[in-house]
Amino acid sequence: MKLEGKKIGFGITGSYCTILEIIEPLKKLKAQGADIFPVVSENVFEHSSRFHDKDTFLKTLEEITGNKPISTINEAETFGPDNPMDTMIIAPATGNTIAKLANGISDGPVLLATKATLRNGSPVLLALFSNDALGMNGMNITKLYNTKNFFFVPFGQDNPTKKPASMTADLSLLEEALAHALEGRQIQPSIIAHK
């Protein structure tokens, strides 16, 4: 898939144990010619974790994309009429992010950039990472699955024995899922068995 000339908003939310897994997909999208605008949640911008150092991570995002990460609502608002995206990807998309999107809440930079992208009629691709996907958050996931312009990277249970309600996206399928989303289609199967 060639993404030459495509403007992609790439939202990153606070699933800290998986946050570094998005580096390779980002590099692949950039290699396809995409112009990527990273958008980070307040938690990603402000906090390191035992899995990553925030300053190193933010610097890496800028080095890969060539764009400074957007970290405020004011900056994210430009995704509306001033700087429209061809698509918005959220990876990782946490259960909290999914719940807010499903209920029309846009109280942070990633959520507002997503709202602006939807307002422009462009697709949003979600790479779900939620410990509660088969719990209370299940209804939010299915609500978005059935909402116009929302699409999912295929996802499945990542550890059914120890975390039976947890589901995560297969990031190796992100590019293919994006190609489908840009055509207005959900990649199938959307629910998979992890290898």
Side-chain angles (χ1 to χ4, degrees):
M1 171 178 66
K2 292 293 180 191
L3 295 172
E4 202 72 44
K6 294 287 186 189
K7 292 171 68 175
I8 298 176
F10 201 105
I12 302 153
T13 63
S15 176
Y16 295 128
C17 59
T18 57
I19 201 165
L20 295 179
E21 292 180 29
I22 65 154
I23 297 299
E24 285 309 310
L26 267 175
K27 288 179 179 176
K28 289 179 181 178
L29 293 177
K30 188 65 180 175
Q32 295 293 331
D35 192 7
I36 303 171
F37 296 82
V39 185
V40 296
S41 69
E42 294 96 332
N43 285 334
V44 172
F45 186 73
E46 294 173 4
H47 302 289
S48 297
S49 73
R50 63 189 173 106
F51 302 100
H52 81 296
D53 174 77
K54 72 175 180 75
D55 294 325
T56 302
F57 179 69
L58 294 170
K59 183 179 177 186
T60 300
L61 290 179
E62 187 169 357
E63 288 170 351
I64 293 169
T65 65
N67 291 306
K68 183 179 177 187
I70 292 166
S71 60
T72 68
I73 285 181
N74 288 343
E75 294 169 321
E77 193 175 25
T78 65
F79 277 29
D82 296 335
N83 189 25
M85 298 291 116
D86 292 295
T87 187
M88 180 80 187
I89 297 169
I90 305 179
T94 62
N96 186 54
T97 300
I98 297 288
K100 288 184 176 185
L101 287 172
N103 289 285
I105 299 169
S106 51
D107 62 351
V110 173
L111 296 163
L112 191 62
T114 303
K115 178 183 175 183
T117 301
L118 289 167
R119 184 178 70 183
N120 292 332
S122 297
V124 172
L125 180 63
L126 303 171
L128 172 71
F129 285 83
S130 172
N131 286 325
D132 193 35
L134 293 176
M136 288 297 291
N137 214 6
M139 60 185 172
N140 297 316
I141 294 164
T142 55
K143 185 176 181 180
L144 291 181
Y145 191 89
N146 288 288
T147 301
K148 183 180 178 182
N149 285 333
F150 279 102
F151 303 93
F152 284 83
V153 176
F155 58 93
Q157 286 180 285
D158 54 305
N159 190 341
T161 305
K162 293 185 179 176
K163 300 190 301 179
S166 179
M167 297 182 91
T168 61
D170 182 345
L171 290 177
S172 72
L173 298 172
L174 189 142
E175 286 179 89
E176 190 177 352
L178 176 59
H180 282 72
L182 287 169
E183 294 175 356
R185 296 183 296 125
Q186 171 63 48
I187 188 174
Q188 295 296 340
S190 50
I191 298 177
I192 58 168
H194 279 294
K195 296 173 182 142

